[in-house]
Amino acid sequence: MRYMPHTAEDRAEMLKKVGVGSVDDLFADIPEEARLKGLLDLPTHAPEMDVDRKMQAYGLKNLSPSENPCFLGAGAYRHHVPSVVDHLIQRSEFLTAYTPYQPEISQGTLQALFEFQTQVAMITGMDVANASMYDGATACAEAVLMACRATRRKKAILSGNLHPHYREVTETTVQFTEFEVASDAPVLDGVEDLTANLDKDIACVVVQNPDFFGRLQDLSDLADKCHEVGALLVVVVTEIVSLGLVKSPGEMGADIVVGEGQSIGVALSYGGPYVGLFATRQKYVRQMPGRLCGETVDQEGNRGFVLTLSTREQHIRREKATSNICTNAGLCSLAFSIHMSLLGQSGFKQLAEINHGEAVTAAEKLEAAGLEILNDSFFNEFTVKLPGSAEKAVEALADKGILGGVPVSRLIPGEAAFENLLLVTVTETNTDEEVDQLVAALKEIANAE
């Protein structure tokens, strides 16, 4: 039975209170084309087997990344996840556990989080990492808030080549605070100048590496210039596998490193849940959001784990809380930790080398086919300039059963300069045959323009 606790009068009163005329007005911010027009064509009732059959038929209309050549990226990447990862996280002691509200009796959970923190700190080159965030974008927003608290300043500069979703989440998060962010425009050609407005009022500069277009950069000079005026450098990493091969943000002088850990242990899953990473220097640890697990010994000298720091409002006075955010879905951080343990230090590096090697091969094949690659450097993702619309090219590729990449215009709409740009990602999951299919299909599409 459908349960509707609110009467028509209740709803009318609530709508009047928030100042809108109808329920539809509440969803005015959702683009018209994305809204559902009427009810879905579903029967009012059916046997379970028929429902299952119908829903599977609907599902088969999608092109699955696991069953088709997939070159999608832009913040979410297809990697191979060993089957043992899913097997281990489904052990009942992990599968049933939420966050440890009586933490010290959850020694297994605390140890897993401690190992996760250690791995994140090591690969980012930082002193300390927390027990995870919701995802990379919210971690980015929390980094800006933390930088403002740590420096007692109120302004942040966001790189124009920061992932648009990360920028939007950050802008949304700070809009009702005393802090403010200034977002630069995306820079496709040349080097982005993030120091033009850098002064003693700036709390931090947020930059992504590799950036949204896939380009790598050494941020050491930018870190020095930030520190000269007392600002912090926040580095965002959306493809965490890159840190197996690329100089870590910590080595470049970053003060806070945030990222998306989905590439390790977590499948694409239609966009979530993912696992946000957050690491910083020791001197800023008390301003760090989320939870921190530590290692200790009990009175008998036995090794144990404790919830060392938890600065959210649930644990300390609300006005002293650094954030109301907590850990992400703990299974995702556990999956990350198990997968990373399976790889080991050498395996993580080898995985990164394979990714980069496969991407270089694909880029060379695309260039040989007459397509233009805009990157002078990249890890496993690069930008291809097509002679025509990238969105139409992606649709044509989908007709051939290929998930051929992400049009830049999908994430940065309304910019004519980006209409023909396609982000292509190549990982260890792509075979030579799949790359050849992509190259042949894009060449055919380009020649038809």
Side-chain angles (χ1 to χ4, degrees):
M1 178 183 293
R2 194 180 185 193
Y3 178 64
M4 296 289 286
H6 300 119
T7 65
E9 290 74 19
D10 291 335
R11 291 194 290 275
E13 186 175 347
M14 287 188 288
L15 292 171
K16 182 179 179 182
K17 184 72 174 179
V18 298
V20 296
S22 68
V23 173
D24 288 341
D25 292 342
L26 290 174
F27 302 103
D29 292 332
I30 299 175
E32 180 67 28
E33 62 272 18
R35 295 185 215 170
L36 184 65
K37 312 291 190 306
L39 299 175
L40 294 172
D41 182 22
L42 293 172
T44 56
H45 62 278
E48 179 180 334
M49 188 172 68
D50 291 348
V51 172
D52 183 59
R53 184 182 295 125
K54 194 173 186 67
M55 298 311 291
Q56 286 196 40
Y58 281 129
L60 289 174
K61 293 182 178 179
N62 293 315
L63 279 182
S64 170
S66 62
E67 298 172 356
N68 297 274
C70 174
F71 299 91
L72 303 177
Y77 302 92
R78 184 182 74 168
H79 289 284
H80 172 67
V81 179
S83 58
V84 68
V85 173
D86 281 345
H87 177 75
L88 289 177
I89 66 173
Q90 291 183 59
R91 288 177 59 98
S92 60
E93 59 267 43
F94 289 128
L95 193 60
T96 60
Y98 182 50
T99 46
Y101 284 111
Q102 293 177 306
E104 278 65 47
I105 66 170
S106 307
Q107 283 296 300
T109 299
L110 288 178
Q111 181 171 359
L113 291 174
F114 182 80
E115 302 293 349
F116 169 83
Q117 293 170 181
T118 305
Q119 292 164 345
V120 174
M122 288 181 68
I123 63 175
T124 56
M126 303 302 284
D127 299 328
V128 59
N130 73 9
S132 79
M133 311 291 284
Y134 290 146
D135 55 26
T138 50
C140 179
E142 290 288 342
V144 169
L145 298 178
M146 173 179 156
C148 290
R149 291 193 302 269
T151 60
R152 299 180 184 276
R153 299 177 181 180
K154 297 183 178 180
K155 297 180 181 177
I157 297 174
L158 306 186
S159 162
N161 290 4
L162 178 66
H163 192 296
H165 289 172
Y166 285 55
R167 181 169 59 248
E168 291 168 9
V169 168
T170 303
E171 290 171 345
T172 301
T173 301
V174 304
Q175 67 178 322
F176 296 117
T177 70
E178 59 182 328
F179 309 129
E180 59 182 274
V181 295
S183 299
D184 288 351
V187 175
L188 188 59
D189 300 316
V191 179
E192 184 181 18
D193 182 10
L194 288 165
T195 63
N197 298 314
L198 191 58
D199 57 33
K200 294 186 177 180
D201 291 329
I202 300 299
C204 66
V205 173
V206 183
V207 60
Q208 180 178 326
N209 194 44
D211 70 14
F212 175 66
F213 299 103
R215 290 182 301 195
L216 288 162
Q217 51 190 326
D218 190 334
L219 303 170
S220 303
D221 289 342
L222 178 60
D224 290 340
K225 289 176 181 175
C226 287
H227 297 157
E228 286 174 6
V229 296
L232 306 186
L233 177 65
V234 177
V235 176
V236 174
V237 184
T238 60
E239 171 53 299
I240 206 68
V241 175
S242 67
L243 295 184
L245 202 58
V246 176
K247 188 177 179 180
S248 74
E251 292 176 283
M252 297 185 200
D255 301 286
I256 304 172
V257 182
V258 296
E260 174 53 63
Q262 170 268 322
S263 290
I264 301 295
V266 183
L268 288 171
S269 304
Y270 294 96
Y274 287 166
V275 50
L277 313 179
F278 198 110
T280 188
R281 303 288 180 191
Q282 180 67 39
K283 62 181 178 181
Y284 301 121
V285 68
R286 290 192 175 277
Q287 292 295 334
M288 189 167 63
R291 293 186 171 98
L292 182 67
C293 296
E295 181 184 17
T296 187
V297 293
D298 64 16
Q299 61 183 3
E300 297 176 350
N302 298 314
R303 186 191 190 207
F305 299 90
V306 294
L307 201 57
T308 306
L309 185 68
S310 190
T311 52
R312 58 195 290 248
E313 62 185 20
Q314 207 167 26
H315 300 275
I316 62 177
R317 284 186 297 159
R318 180 182 293 265
E319 61 270 24
K320 293 291 185 182
T322 57
S323 170
N324 65 359
I325 203 168
C326 59
T327 52
N328 83 316
L331 282 179
C332 294
S333 60
L334 179 64
F336 178 100
S337 190
I338 293 173
H339 191 178
M340 192 64 84
S341 299
L342 293 170
L343 288 169
Q345 191 169 355
S346 60
F348 187 51
K349 180 181 179 182
Q350 185 180 6
L351 176 62
E353 289 174 341
I354 294 171
N355 270 251
H356 182 59
E358 295 292 338
V360 169
T361 300
E364 289 174 346
K365 288 183 176 179
L366 287 167
E367 283 189 315
L371 295 161
E372 183 180 0
I373 309 298
L374 298 185
N375 301 61
D376 51 7
S377 65
F378 59 87
F379 172 61
N380 67 355
E381 186 167 26
F382 49 84
T383 305
V384 183
K385 186 174 184 179
L386 303 175
S389 165
E391 290 201 20
K392 291 182 179 178
V394 166
E395 292 174 4
L397 290 169
D399 291 340
K400 298 176 182 294
I402 302 171
L403 295 165
V406 178
V408 171
S409 59
R410 183 171 182 181
L411 296 172
I412 309 178
E415 298 282 347
F418 300 146
E419 291 292 326
N420 295 2
L421 303 185
L422 180 66
L423 293 175
V424 174
T425 300
V426 185
T427 73
E428 79 282 1
T429 63
N430 293 113
T431 64
D432 291 343
E433 291 74 19
E434 290 179 349
V435 171
D436 291 341
Q437 287 181 52
L438 174 70
V439 173
L442 278 178
K443 183 178 180 180
E444 180 183 337
I445 293 169
N447 290 337
E449 289 290 337

